[in-house]
Amino acid sequence: LKNLGIDFIIIKKFDKKFSKIKSYQFIKNILYENLKAKYIFVSDNFRFGNKREGNVKQLIKNEKEFKFKIIKPKPLVLKNKVISSTLIRNLLSNGKLEYSNQLLARKWSIESKVQRGRQMGKKIGFPTCNMDIKDYVIPKLGVYAVKIHQKNNSKILKGIANIGYRPTFNQKKLLLEVYIFNFSGNLYNKYLTIEFINFIRKEKKFKNINQLKKQINSDLKLVKKKLN
């Protein structure tokens, strides 16, 4: 955002109280009185207010009363498709990572804190960083080639990640696991940013640990080739 010249952003928690605000009150109390907005950029399908009652026509109707100007930028279009958050979420959930990264003009990423797990990866020779996906969009479950960024450290690490439920171990919790190449050290309770570069394969349940290890070694070779 800084590279785009944006000075600041305001993050407002969308709770039950906020969801009850009527569209006119949103314009009067928030846009006019609180933010003192002069120019408002919105797309044609923008909706706001309780039960999505407000729209762009209502904003334009209130321009003079509240002394702001509505500007409607043309939507970004690629290959005859409007680039939208809905399109990108659908691409991610279908494993079309490279295309979604192209539309984002960056690598899709997750930032989260490394937490202690059951250390199953370490027991089979592949120690991983266990990370909670929290409120992120859930991409297609499976294996990915990734790059890892540490806070206050410019060195970019490479690795392989799995997002899923670890069916071979009969687990129920959705988890992001990251195995970092050529790394030794303690990352517990540290924040990492995981950049997703390539989708490798979907999640699969194996009959035994040996089959899993064999597949991981095969995945490692492919991921290293992709990242190089």
Side-chain angles (χ1 to χ4, degrees):
L1 291 175
K2 184 178 180 180
N3 293 335
L4 295 173
I6 296 173
D7 296 316
F8 62 90
I9 62 172
I10 298 172
I11 299 175
K12 174 63 180 175
K13 184 178 180 181
F14 189 84
D15 53 21
K16 192 171 183 179
K17 181 180 178 181
F18 190 77
S19 73
K20 298 294 183 183
I21 298 174
K22 295 292 185 180
S23 58
Y24 182 80
Q25 294 304 315
F26 180 85
I27 295 171
K28 181 178 183 293
N29 298 341
I30 296 176
L31 297 180
Y32 178 67
E33 294 178 355
N34 290 352
L35 297 179
K36 297 177 172 56
K38 297 298 181 184
Y39 296 93
I40 301 172
F41 293 75
V42 289
S43 61
D44 279 326
N45 61 356
F46 177 67
R47 304 300 293 263
F48 64 98
N50 182 240
K51 297 181 180 179
R52 304 178 80 245
E53 65 181 5
N55 55 28
V56 177
K57 288 182 179 179
Q58 184 182 5
L59 286 171
I60 293 173
K61 183 180 177 181
N62 285 275
E63 279 183 325
K64 288 185 178 180
E65 181 181 355
F66 295 111
K67 301 178 178 63
F68 56 66
K69 178 68 178 174
I70 298 300
I71 297 174
K72 297 189 294 179
K74 290 183 179 180
L76 289 173
V77 177
L78 183 66
K79 296 179 181 178
N80 297 319
K81 287 187 177 181
V82 175
I83 300 174
S84 66
S85 57
T86 300
L87 173 61
I88 292 171
R89 285 194 297 268
N90 288 338
L91 290 171
L92 288 170
S93 65
N94 285 291
K96 297 180 179 179
L97 179 66
E98 289 85 352
Y99 188 22
S100 64
N101 284 346
Q102 181 185 356
L103 299 186
L104 287 168
R106 63 175 176 84
K107 300 296 186 291
W108 183 71
S109 61
I110 289 177
E111 181 182 351
S112 187
K113 185 166 70 172
V114 179
Q115 55 189 234
R116 288 193 177 274
R118 299 177 63 202
Q119 298 189 323
M120 297 303 296
K122 185 177 181 179
K123 291 176 183 177
I124 63 173
F126 303 98
T128 60
C129 298
N130 292 352
M131 305 172 73
D132 192 345
I133 298 177
K134 301 183 292 184
D135 299 323
Y136 282 92
V137 172
I138 306 302
K140 188 176 181 70
L141 302 185
V143 177
Y144 292 83
V146 298
K147 291 184 179 179
I148 302 99
H149 300 261
Q150 304 175 73
K151 277 193 173 181
N152 304 317
N153 190 330
S154 60
K155 184 178 180 181
I156 300 174
L157 304 171
K158 297 177 181 179
I160 184 171
N162 183 79
I163 292 182
Y165 294 94
R166 297 162 293 166
T168 305
F169 298 105
N170 298 313
Q171 297 300 295
K172 304 297 181 184
K173 182 183 178 182
L174 183 66
L175 196 67
L176 166 61
E177 298 176 286
V178 182
Y179 173 65
I180 305 174
F181 303 150
N182 306 314
F183 179 83
S184 61
N186 185 357
L187 293 173
Y188 286 127
N189 296 317
K190 293 185 178 180
Y191 281 89
L192 301 178
T193 298
I194 311 301
E195 276 190 337
F196 290 76
I197 311 300
N198 302 102
F199 176 73
I200 303 302
R201 64 169 176 84
K202 65 180 182 180
E203 187 172 48
K204 179 181 177 182
K205 182 172 182 175
F206 296 91
K207 292 181 179 179
N208 53 57
I209 300 301
N210 287 332
Q211 277 193 0
L212 173 61
K213 289 171 69 175
K214 185 178 179 181
Q215 182 62 57
I216 291 174
N217 281 312
S218 177
D219 293 338
L220 285 173
K221 290 179 182 178
L222 180 56
V223 167
K224 287 178 179 179
K225 187 176 180 181
K226 292 276 189 183
L227 294 177
N228 288 332

